[in-house]
Amino acid sequence: MQQIFNFLIRNKNNILFLFLLALAVFFTIQTHSFHKSSFISSANVLTGGIYSWANDFDKYMHLDEYNERLMEENKQLRNVLTNLNDTISVENYTDTTSFDGTYYFRTARVINNNYAKPNNFLTLNQGKEAGIKSEFGVITSKGVIGIVDRVNSRFSRVISILNSDSQINAQLNKTNHFGSLIWDGKNPNIVQLVDVPRQAPVKEGDTIVTGGKSLIFPEGIPIGSVENFKLDQSQSYYNINVRLFNDMTNIGYVYVIENLDREEILELEKEDEQ
Amino acid sequence: MNNSILKNIIRFVGLVFIQVLILNNINFLGYINPYLYVLFILLYPFNANQSLFLILSFLLGFSIDLFEDSGGVHAAACVVIAFIRPNLLRFSFGISYDHQNLRLSTTPFGARLSYIFISIIIHHFILFFLEMFSFSHIIIVLKKTLFSGIFSVITIMLSLIVFSKKYR
């Protein structure tokens, strides 16, 4: 017994080192497993608060740019709205309760944004108190940003599309051939759309939008345009490089999308499995 | 002694803040960031308690991880260089380290550079390797280690010169 104690005391630094290293590696592995990235995230009061404080300067510096983006978006929405009035007369919707819509939008500001690492996250300045929950989609007026991952009362963390764990269902705007969107970790402006069947008539410059298979995003949210493409090793699927419409290095304000039907659809699918 | 503790606490907090609020946003050429916070580990008193030093290094890396959402990669890299620091010191400064009267500002430039360079390269390699977490990306890991490493060494040497006390 004495010898064991002596051994422990003599090697206490080595043991401490191994313990701390194991702890650090354990945390690392945890972040690499999707949805288990547990208690360590920038969405906590301390780091969130500091980021939010530092971001106030940044917000002020970019006011002009944010205004311009808003004007642009307003212009687009107004165009859509005017055309809508021409085709559909509004009076037809007398029963307003059944036209609630499937999606609910909230706004938030990005207070921390990573894009240079293989696994990137963003932090938003809204959390549970604003009604945000995990698995909500995050977009800007230009396109998709990512999916909410962890939430605390005032902040939330978003898995960016620039994350090797992220997989978003996406399709060609023209033909509805779909695949999944991943990132190879190299260029923050280019993501990869894989598993698109060979039959799809892909052309450079085609628009890629979110697919209808996802319960997170509405169908048809823009993502990017086809930069180039080639067949994969099996010669039956395309690997497409997609240039993002969003500048992921400069985001600012975002919309958080809640799918109000999500719970019911998931429940239905679960019943199906049983 | 009290003075030394206070100085190290200020250095710890200050370096974490500078790292997460300023240096992590540089992204030179897309992915090159200097990691100045390692300076805390390099400058920590050489004759201090090794166990406490290991724990502090872990906490340092861990605070950076908290801000960066990177799990435990910085913590792991910091603990490793804190653990091997005595060997690095002996390698770079030779016999004078064993006399325990070494001060970094009084060492020859070459020895100081080798101590900082080797520590940084080891730290960055572990950092980027754990970040990628796969052997198939080893070339990217080495590239990042080299470029970020050079950048880090330059920032660390510069801040050592700027904050040196030789003028007193």
Side-chain angles (χ1 to χ4, degrees):
Chain A
M1 204 61 187
Q2 182 80 40
Q3 278 183 337
I4 296 173
F5 277 126
N6 278 341
F7 174 79
L8 287 180
I9 289 167
R10 212 168 344 110
N11 288 305
K12 68 173 192 294
N13 283 337
N14 298 353
I15 293 163
L16 186 68
F17 165 68
L18 288 177
F19 170 71
L20 291 176
L21 189 67
L23 199 64
V25 172
F26 169 72
F27 287 150
T28 310
I29 292 170
Q30 269 218 324
T31 47
H32 279 270
S33 49
F34 191 54
H35 278 183
K36 266 192 245 160
S37 40
S38 58
F39 41 95
I40 309 150
S41 79
S42 64
N44 64 52
V45 179
L46 178 73
T47 54
I50 290 169
Y51 272 139
S52 155
W53 169 78
N55 190 258
D56 283 346
F57 296 104
D58 188 67
K59 185 178 76 174
Y60 191 72
M61 302 302 282
H62 288 98
L63 275 181
D64 267 358
E65 206 182 319
Y66 296 153
N67 256 333
E68 231 160 72
R69 280 188 210 166
L70 272 180
M71 293 289 282
E72 187 66 27
E73 196 186 348
N74 271 344
K75 192 183 82 187
Q76 276 175 15
L77 290 176
R78 279 202 177 274
N79 279 334
V80 174
L81 202 66
T82 355
N83 294 337
L84 209 67
N85 272 341
D86 286 349
T87 49
I88 310 166
S89 89
V90 185
E91 289 101 74
N92 285 346
Y93 296 109
T94 41
D95 180 11
T96 46
T97 48
S98 56
F99 287 96
D100 254 0
T102 325
Y103 296 98
Y104 185 77
F105 288 71
R106 292 176 174 84
T107 55
R109 202 175 84 229
V110 175
I111 54 171
N112 175 41
N113 178 18
N114 293 321
Y115 46 87
K117 291 185 293 174
N119 291 301
N120 297 297
F121 295 94
L122 300 103
T123 317
L124 305 182
N125 71 337
Q126 304 281 1
K128 269 186 206 139
E129 283 171 8
I132 293 177
K133 296 197 193 92
S134 81
E135 302 269 305
F136 282 13
V138 179
I139 63 165
T140 68
S141 53
K142 286 186 195 158
V144 171
I145 298 289
I147 297 169
V148 176
D149 158 47
R150 285 183 53 72
V151 189
N152 83 347
S153 57
R154 286 173 51 213
F155 302 100
S156 46
R157 185 174 80 161
V158 177
I159 298 187
S160 161
I161 45 175
L162 305 183
N163 188 313
S164 56
D165 289 331
S166 144
Q167 264 207 355
I168 292 171
N169 179 269
Q171 65 180 36
L172 292 170
N173 195 19
K174 279 196 294 197
T175 60
N176 296 358
H177 285 96
F178 63 87
S180 41
L181 201 69
I182 57 168
W183 189 48
D184 63 0
K186 283 173 190 154
N187 186 334
N189 295 315
I190 309 274
V191 294
Q192 283 70 37
L193 182 64
V194 296
D195 296 339
V196 178
R198 191 182 178 157
Q199 294 84 344
V202 189
K203 273 210 295 288
E204 277 177 29
D206 279 1
T207 307
I208 305 289
V209 297
T210 54
K213 294 226 174 319
S214 145
L215 288 180
I216 294 169
F217 294 105
E219 193 173 344
I221 302 263
I223 295 172
S225 59
V226 175
E227 175 94 348
N228 53 46
F229 56 94
K230 61 170 190 285
L231 284 169
D232 68 357
Q233 281 150 345
S234 67
Q235 297 288 312
S236 47
Y237 291 101
Y238 280 120
N239 283 341
I240 304 175
N241 279 327
V242 180
R243 179 168 286 276
L244 293 172
F245 290 137
N246 264 321
D247 179 4
M248 290 300 286
T249 62
N250 178 7
I251 298 175
Y253 286 85
V254 294
Y255 298 105
V256 182
I257 309 175
E258 173 177 9
N259 184 346
L260 299 167
D261 292 344
R262 183 185 148 80
E263 295 293 317
E264 284 166 30
I265 296 174
L266 280 180
E267 221 167 81
L268 208 64
E269 281 177 355
K270 213 185 256 173
E271 272 173 28
D272 220 32
E273 276 168 20
Q274 281 166 1
Chain B
M1 191 60 200
N2 264 332
N3 187 18
S4 156
I5 291 172
L6 189 69
K7 209 163 73 183
N8 275 298
I9 290 173
I10 293 172
R11 197 182 281 153
F12 186 105
V13 178
L15 282 172
V16 169
F17 270 71
I18 291 172
Q19 184 65 48
V20 295
L21 294 182
I22 301 169
L23 297 180
N24 278 350
N25 297 318
I26 289 182
N27 293 320
F28 181 60
L29 296 183
Y31 58 90
I32 302 174
N33 276 339
Y35 290 98
L36 181 68
Y37 74 93
V38 188
L39 195 61
F40 175 83
I41 297 172
L42 297 176
L43 286 182
Y44 194 80
F46 295 141
N47 50 5
N49 182 349
Q50 179 77 4
S51 312
L52 180 67
F53 176 48
L54 280 173
I55 293 170
L56 281 177
S57 303
F58 178 80
L59 288 179
L60 176 75
F62 191 65
S63 0
I64 304 283
D65 280 325
L66 263 183
F67 278 98
E68 279 212 47
D69 277 315
S70 45
V73 292
H74 286 277
C78 285
V79 169
V80 170
I81 57 163
F83 183 69
I84 60 170
R85 192 180 74 155
N87 302 327
L88 291 175
L89 284 169
R90 203 165 292 134
F91 172 79
S92 294
F93 301 119
I95 197 77
S96 60
Y97 165 67
D98 289 328
H99 287 117
Q100 302 285 344
N101 56 3
L102 180 75
R103 287 177 59 207
L104 200 61
S105 53
T106 58
T107 52
F109 181 79
R112 203 179 343 156
L113 187 67
S114 88
Y115 165 57
I116 292 172
F117 189 75
I118 295 169
S119 312
I120 289 290
I121 291 295
I122 293 171
H123 173 271
H124 282 27
F125 179 73
I126 295 164
L127 174 69
F128 293 126
F129 180 72
L130 283 177
E131 208 173 74
M132 282 291 180
F133 219 62
S134 82
F135 280 102
S136 53
H137 291 91
I138 197 80
I139 298 296
I140 302 177
V141 172
L142 290 174
K143 214 168 78 182
K144 277 186 153 185
T145 305
L146 185 66
F147 292 142
S148 269
I150 290 170
F151 210 13
S152 299
V153 170
I154 292 171
T155 11
I156 286 176
M157 292 306 275
L158 283 180
S159 38
L160 277 180
I161 292 166
V162 170
F163 292 107
S164 73
K165 290 180 181 136
K166 271 181 190 160
Y167 56 84
R168 275 188 189 171

